[in-house]
């Protein structure tokens, strides 16, 4: 690899990264802010992602298919291996003497043009599917509020998903880039604590009053195999963003040291709320735990309403984090810089971000199976991006500094997670096919 630095300063022009075949990749400068955030703010961005309203689904999507032993051990192992894999990526952020502010930039620098394009596709599929899930979750939260007051079935889930998509579009238009979230991260943390504390407390109360629960893994033997594999994909989905270099790009120098602090924060303090609500929900309801835990709990209407409103609002903020790489790409490609309120910039965000979220919302309304999307996203993108690619990139980048045992360890990870990715994708597609037979398109689930 070599970086073309001829003709003087390259800070204001695209950098060309060359593969062994001397094929150039255009690496554009970003239109968004970089190197402006503290490690603590970045830690909150990461924690916002893992404690989004998705945590309300882990009792049903992870614990029910795996049971107590598989679920507890699986979550702890997923936490450890996710921290390890993310640390590998973080340590490569300045590999070769330059910052790699996008996942595809890093892959392109190490492997060349084909990997650059493949990583780009994998990452945007990953983020798009995560955002489809967020819109489904936001719609479920709105429907849960509606049902608390009018259980007449007049308003279907797809209607609420459409409302949620509109709210996400408004927020995307108002917030120009990831660093601009700032105070919204504080609101996000507050909203997360609200629905997590309420879900935990009401589940605890229900569990104390309830008769003995069934913790057996439901389904036939063959169904258990597929649901267990699918749940393993949901496990890794829970802890990984698929956009670590983009988040790391916002942190101040020293970027590796500060990012490691943010990761340690995410995988220690940040995971505790997720554990609490996942385990409590399963303890309280056994294998009857809902894919959206607030649908299972009993309690005062105003408390459940407050929890669902908080889940909805936090989901809107979290979606913006995972959509930001797409926004950054489009803003950079079309030269959107300067004041966020400039007519050109504002109209661009309305048209482009609005269009992106229209497509996202349409798919969410058509196939509102949140657990299936978690499994499929983990299988086809989280496994390859976070585990396979991270280990192999580190192996290639540090090959002259690794012992034979270390190289064998990384190859073992690549092979194992490659197998898991294929198996989980088959399981997730089967789950979607089964649910599609049971429900019509635009189903009210």
């Amino acid at each position: 690899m070599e970086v073309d630095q001829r003709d003087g300063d390259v800070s204001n022009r695209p950098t060309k990264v060359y593969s062994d075949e001397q094929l150039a990749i255009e690496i554009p400068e970003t239109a968004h802010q970089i190197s402006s955030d503290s490690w603590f703010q970045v830690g909150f961005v990461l924690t916002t992602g893992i404690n989004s309203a998705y945590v309300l689904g882990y009792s049903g999507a992870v614990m029910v298919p795996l049971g107590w032993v598989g679920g507890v051990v699986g979550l702890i192992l997923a936490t450890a291996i996710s921290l390890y894999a993310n640390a590998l990526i973080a340590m490569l952020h300045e590999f070769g003497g330059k910052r790699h502010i996008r996942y595809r930039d890093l892959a392109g620098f190490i492997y060349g043009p084909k990997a650059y394009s493949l990583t780009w596709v994998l990452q945007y599929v990953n983020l798009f599917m995560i955002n489809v899930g967020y819109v489904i979750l936001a719609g479920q939260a709105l429907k849960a509020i509606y049902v608390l007051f009018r259980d007449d079935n007049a308003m279907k889930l797809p209607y609420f998903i459409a409302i949620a998509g509109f709210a996400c579009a408004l927020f995307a238009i108002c917030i120009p880039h990831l660093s601009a979230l700032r105070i919204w991260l504080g609101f996000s943390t507050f909203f997360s604590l609200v629905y997590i504390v309420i879900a935990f407390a009401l589940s605890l109360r229900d569990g104390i009053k309830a008769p003995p629960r069934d913790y057996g893994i439901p389904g036939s033997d063959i169904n258990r195999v597929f649901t267990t594999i699918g749940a393993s994909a949901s496990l890794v989905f829970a802890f990984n963003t698929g956009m670590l270099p983009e988040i790391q790009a916002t942190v101040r120098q020293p970027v590796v040291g500060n990012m490691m602090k943010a990761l340690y924060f995410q995988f220690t303090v940040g995971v505790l709320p997720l554990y609490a609500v996942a385990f409590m929900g399963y303890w309280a309801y056994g294998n009857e735990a809902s894919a959206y835990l607030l649908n299972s709990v009993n309690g005062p209407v105003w408390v459940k309403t407050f929890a669902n409103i908080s889940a909805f609002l936090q989901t809107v903020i979290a979606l913006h984090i995972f959509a930001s790489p797409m926004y950054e790409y489009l803003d950079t490609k079309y030269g959107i810089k300067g004041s966020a309120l400039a007519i050109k910039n504002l109209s661009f965000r309305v048209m482009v971000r609005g269009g992106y979220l229209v497509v996202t919302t349409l798919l969410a309304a058509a196939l509102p199976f949140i657990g299936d999307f978690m499994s499929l996203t983990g299988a086809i993108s989280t496994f390859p991006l976070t585990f396979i690619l991270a280990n192999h990139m580190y192996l290639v980048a540090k090959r002259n500094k690794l012992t034979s045992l270390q190289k064998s360890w990384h190859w073992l990870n690549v092979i194992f997670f490659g197998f898991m990715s294929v198996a989980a994708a088959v399981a997730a597609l089967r789950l979607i096919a089964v649910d599609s037979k049971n429900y019509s398109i635009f189903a009210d689930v």
Side-chain angles (χ1 to χ4, degrees), residues 304-328:
K304 295 175 66 175
T305 301
F306 188 31
N308 280 295
I309 290 174
S310 297
F312 167 74
L313 294 174
Q314 197 278 342
T315 298
V316 172
I317 298 171
L319 182 147
H320 190 76
I321 293 174
F322 288 92
S324 61
M326 174 62 77
Y327 301 156
E328 186 274 336

Side-chain angles (χ1 to χ4, degrees), residues 352-424:
V352 175
R353 298 186 183 187
Y356 172 76
L357 285 166
V358 165
V359 174
T360 304
T361 303
L362 184 62
L363 183 58
L367 298 170
F369 313 122
I370 188 64
D372 299 351
F373 269 101
M374 288 164 57
S375 297
L376 187 60
T377 304
I380 69 173
S381 50
T382 307
F383 271 131
L385 279 174
T386 305
F387 298 102
I388 301 172
L389 197 57
N391 276 279
H392 196 266
M393 284 196 302
Y394 194 82
L395 183 65
V396 172
K398 305 290 186 179
R399 59 184 177 272
N400 295 327
K401 299 180 180 180
L402 299 177
T403 66
S404 297
L405 182 60
Q406 289 172 319
K407 290 178 182 178
S408 299
W409 165 251
H410 288 293
W411 273 117
L412 179 63
N413 278 291
V414 169
I415 295 168
F416 173 74
F417 288 114
F419 169 78
M420 287 299 300
S421 179
V422 173

Side-chain angles (χ1 to χ4, degrees), residues 7 25 40 66 91-92 99 120 128 144 164 180 199 201-202 206 223-224 245 265 270 294 309 324 351 391 423 433:
D7 303 324
I25 308 169
F40 194 62
L66 296 178
M91 288 187 286
L92 293 175
R99 291 190 72 171
W120 195 356
F128 176 72
L202 294 184
D206 286 349
N223 284 336
R224 290 179 186 177
F265 179 83
L294 292 178
I309 290 174
S324 61
M351 295 297 294
N391 276 279

Side-chain angles (χ1 to χ4, degrees), residues 58-388:
Y58 295 145
S59 296
V62 172
M63 296 300 296
V64 169
L66 296 178
W68 272 121
V69 175
V72 172
V73 173
L75 278 169
I76 293 172
L77 284 177
T79 303
I81 62 175
S82 297
L83 171 59
Y84 174 72
N86 279 278
L88 294 180
I89 298 170
M91 288 187 286
L92 293 175
H93 191 77
E94 294 182 306
F95 174 64
K98 71 184 295 293
R99 291 190 72 171
H100 305 284
I101 63 172
R102 306 174 187 90
Y103 216 129
R104 62 185 184 274
D105 297 353
L106 177 59
F109 188 83
I110 293 174
Y111 300 118
K114 292 181 180 179
Y116 177 91
S117 301
L118 178 61
T119 304
W120 195 356
V121 171
L122 277 175
Q123 185 184 30
Y124 282 102
V125 168
N126 178 63
L127 298 175
F128 176 72
M129 293 181 68
I130 288 173
N131 289 332
V132 169
Y134 274 128
V135 177
I136 295 172
L137 281 169
Q140 286 181 327
L142 291 177
K143 183 184 176 183
I145 296 169
Y146 178 84
V147 169
L148 288 173
F149 294 94
R150 287 189 58 182
D151 195 9
D152 55 12
N153 209 33
M155 287 281 286
K156 310 293 185 183
L157 179 60
Y159 304 152
F160 293 108
I161 288 176
I163 295 170
F166 180 73
C168 291
L170 287 180
F171 191 77
I173 292 165
C174 294
I175 307 297
H177 49 74
L178 193 58
S179 291
L181 281 172
R182 298 190 185 280
I183 192 172
W184 290 103
L185 294 174
F187 284 122
S188 175
T189 302
F190 171 74
F191 295 142
S192 295
L193 288 174
V194 168
Y195 61 71
I196 287 173
V197 169
I198 290 175
F200 182 90
L202 294 184
S203 296
L204 175 62
R205 191 179 74 164
D206 286 349
I208 292 172
K209 295 179 178 179
R213 276 78 69 192
D214 182 3
Y215 296 111
I217 299 175
S220 63
D221 290 342
I222 187 65
N223 284 336
R224 290 179 186 177
V225 171
F226 281 106
T227 55
T228 298
I229 295 172
S232 70
S234 298
L235 280 172
V236 298
F237 170 85
F239 298 106
N240 296 283
T241 63
M243 52 177 282
L244 195 78
E246 286 82 356
I247 295 175
Q248 191 170 1
T250 68
V251 76
R252 298 172 191 151
Q253 293 283 2
V255 291
V256 174
N258 280 333
M259 194 63 196
M260 291 306 299
K261 291 178 184 177
L263 287 172
Y264 292 142
F265 179 83
Q266 175 194 8
F267 286 102
T268 53
V269 177
V271 299
L272 295 179
L274 184 155
Y275 285 171
V277 74
F279 296 153
M280 182 56 69
Y282 186 59
W283 173 79
Y285 308 107
N287 60 22
E288 297 296 322
S290 170
Y292 181 68
L293 188 57
L294 292 178
N295 285 338
S296 295
V297 300
N298 297 293
V301 170
W302 71 269
V303 174
K304 295 175 66 175
T305 301
F306 188 31
N308 280 295
I309 290 174
S310 297
F312 167 74
L313 294 174
Q314 197 278 342
T315 298
V316 172
I317 298 171
L319 182 147
H320 190 76
I321 293 174
F322 288 92
S324 61
M326 174 62 77
Y327 301 156
E328 186 274 336
Y329 163 71
L330 293 169
D331 290 352
T332 299
K333 180 176 177 63
Y334 293 101
I336 304 300
K337 296 183 178 181
S339 172
L341 298 177
I343 297 299
K344 174 189 173 184
N345 296 348
L346 188 60
S347 59
F348 181 86
R349 293 200 301 277
V350 170
M351 295 297 294
V352 175
R353 298 186 183 187
Y356 172 76
L357 285 166
V358 165
V359 174
T360 304
T361 303
L362 184 62
L363 183 58
L367 298 170
F369 313 122
I370 188 64
D372 299 351
F373 269 101
M374 288 164 57
S375 297
L376 187 60
T377 304
I380 69 173
S381 50
T382 307
F383 271 131
L385 279 174
T386 305
F387 298 102
I388 301 172

